[in-house]
Amino acid sequence: FFFIGMAESVLVGEADFDLDLAIDTAVKAAKGAGALIRETFRSGIVDQRKTATDPVTETDLASEALVKKTISETFPTHAFLGEESFDGSYHLTDAPTWVCDPVDGTANFLHGLQWCCVCIGLVIRQQPVVGVVYNPITEEMYTAVKGRGAFCNGKAIRPSGVTEMDTACIATEFGSVRDEQIVKDKMRVMHAVVLAPVQALRCLGSCALNMCAVASGHLDGYYEWGMHPWDVAASWLICTEAGAIASDLDGTPFALDARRTLVAAPGLYPKLLATLQKVEARAAAGGKPL
C-alpha cells in the first residue's frame, strides 16, 4: 500500500513523491486544456465520429496532447492513459500513471451544453492520489489530494445531508452503447430508482461532473456502469476526499477498472445501494444480472 506522510508526499519505491508538484502540474494542464475547450465551445466544431454515440472532436485530441505534454515536461518517466490514445488495454500497473479524459461530456460539448470538463488524475499502485476536474465553461475547478480534502475553486466542498430517497436528486447515464439488452437493463434500473421513489432522476452527460456534483452536495447520488478509468480516477478521489461514499454498484470496494460506480451522500448511500441491490437480485433470479 502507498501511504501519506503528513499529507505531503506519497511513498513510491524508495523515494518520496511530491504531491504538491503533482497537483500544481495537474491544475496547470487542466487550465491549458480548459482554454482549448472554451475557445472552441459553440464554434461549430466537427464531430469526427469515433462512433455515432461516442463522438470525438479536434478539441478532444488537442486537449489530450496538451495535457500529456504538460505532464511529461515535469514527470517524464510517468505512464499516461488517455481516452483518445487508448489502445484497447488500460496497462494499469503500480507505477505512477496519469489518467486523462480530455473532454468528458463530448456530446454535450458538441451540442453547446455547458456540462463538460477535462479530467486529470494521478494513480499510484492503482489508487488515485491527485485529482482535478475542470469545467472551463462554468469555470469550476474541482481538486483533491489524498488526505487533504476536496475543493471547488479553492473552497472546501462536502456532500449533502439528504438521507431519504424521496428528497434525493440522483443522476445516472445511458452511456454510448446501444445494444438493446443493455438499454433495457439500464431502463429497468432507472424504473426501480424512480419508483423508490426519488424526487428527481437526471442524465446530465458527464460522469466526472456528476460525481463532483455529489461531492459538492448539488446531487445526492450517482450510479452507472460502463465508464472507464479516465472517467472516474480524478472524480472518485474528489468524492471520497469530500466525504461522499463510493463503491461498486454491489457495495464492494471501488476498483478503477471495474467500470461500475456508485457514489452518494453518506446518509443516502445505504438506501440507494439497497435499491440497486434489489434490482440486481431480481434480475439475477430471472437470469439477467446487471
Side-chain angles (χ1 to χ4, degrees), residues 47-67:
D47 177 6
Q48 297 184 0
R49 291 281 174 144
K50 185 162 46 178
T51 69
T53 57
D54 190 15
V56 64
T57 70
E58 290 181 3
T59 301
D60 294 78
L61 301 173
S63 174
E64 182 168 311
L66 186 152
V67 170

Side-chain angles (χ1 to χ4, degrees), residues 143-166:
T143 58
V145 174
K146 182 72 174 178
R148 301 189 195 179
F151 303 85
C152 180
N153 294 345
K155 295 182 179 180
I157 55 175
R158 299 290 296 174
S160 76
V162 169
T163 60
E164 301 298 331
M165 291 287 283
D166 62 3

Side-chain angles (χ1 to χ4, degrees), residues 185 188-189 192-193 274-284 290:
D185 288 343
R188 175 169 44 82
V189 178
V193 172
T275 299
L276 298 177
Q277 287 177 327
K278 287 178 184 177
V279 180
E280 187 155 13
R282 288 198 297 267
L290 259 62

Side-chain angles (χ1 to χ4, degrees), residues 10-282:
V10 63
L11 194 67
V12 185
E14 299 299 323
D16 282 333
F17 184 79
D18 188 346
L19 290 178
D20 289 319
L21 182 60
I23 188 66
D24 288 347
T25 302
V27 167
K28 178 182 177 181
K31 287 181 176 178
L36 291 174
I37 295 169
R38 188 166 50 247
E39 288 166 6
T40 53
F41 185 66
R42 294 180 178 171
S43 67
I45 197 77
V46 177
D47 177 6
Q48 297 184 0
R49 291 281 174 144
K50 185 162 46 178
T51 69
T53 57
D54 190 15
V56 64
T57 70
E58 290 181 3
T59 301
D60 294 78
L61 301 173
S63 174
E64 182 168 311
L66 186 152
V67 170
K68 185 174 183 179
K69 180 177 184 295
T70 302
I71 290 170
S72 65
E73 288 173 349
T74 304
F75 301 106
T77 64
H78 287 191
F80 184 87
L81 171 62
E83 178 179 11
E84 305 312 333
S85 54
F86 178 54
D87 64 3
S89 174
Y90 297 138
H91 301 293
L92 290 171
T93 68
D94 287 348
T97 303
W98 292 88
V99 184
C100 172
D101 190 337
V103 183
D104 187 39
T106 299
N108 284 350
F109 172 72
L110 270 171
H111 289 275
L113 298 173
Q114 297 180 344
W115 202 250
C116 54
C117 61
V118 54
C119 313
I120 303 171
L122 172 62
V123 175
I124 298 177
R125 299 194 178 181
Q126 301 191 39
Q127 293 293 316
V129 296
V130 167
V132 173
V133 173
Y134 179 42
N135 182 339
I137 312 305
T138 61
E139 297 189 352
E140 292 173 300
M141 173 82 74
Y142 295 92
T143 58
V145 174
K146 182 72 174 178
R148 301 189 195 179
F151 303 85
C152 180
N153 294 345
K155 295 182 179 180
I157 55 175
R158 299 290 296 174
S160 76
V162 169
T163 60
E164 301 298 331
M165 291 287 283
D166 62 3
T167 58
C169 185
I170 306 298
T172 188
E173 299 294 343
F174 280 100
S176 60
V177 177
R178 294 296 178 265
D179 175 83
E180 184 176 1
Q181 187 57 55
I182 291 175
V183 172
K184 285 181 178 179
D185 288 343
K186 293 205 171 191
M187 290 296 295
R188 175 169 44 82
V189 178
M190 288 181 184
H191 183 266
V193 172
V194 168
L195 293 182
V198 293
Q199 188 174 78
L201 180 65
R202 298 288 181 260
C203 296
L204 299 173
S206 165
C207 168
L209 287 177
N210 289 343
M211 293 177 72
C212 288
V214 174
S216 53
H218 304 309
L219 288 171
D220 306 303
Y222 164 71
Y223 72 90
E224 189 181 356
W225 69 94
M227 70 287 288
H228 295 275
W230 47 79
D231 297 309
V232 298
S235 50
W236 177 86
L237 182 65
I238 291 164
C239 282
T240 55
E241 285 296 315
I245 299 178
S247 71
D248 192 291
L249 292 176
D250 61 5
T252 56
F254 167 86
L256 193 61
D257 58 354
R259 306 191 67 187
R260 293 160 47 106
T261 297
L262 165 63
V263 60
L268 186 71
Y269 174 85
K271 294 173 183 177
L272 181 54
L273 173 62
T275 299
L276 298 177
Q277 287 177 327
K278 287 178 184 177
V279 180
E280 187 155 13
R282 288 198 297 267

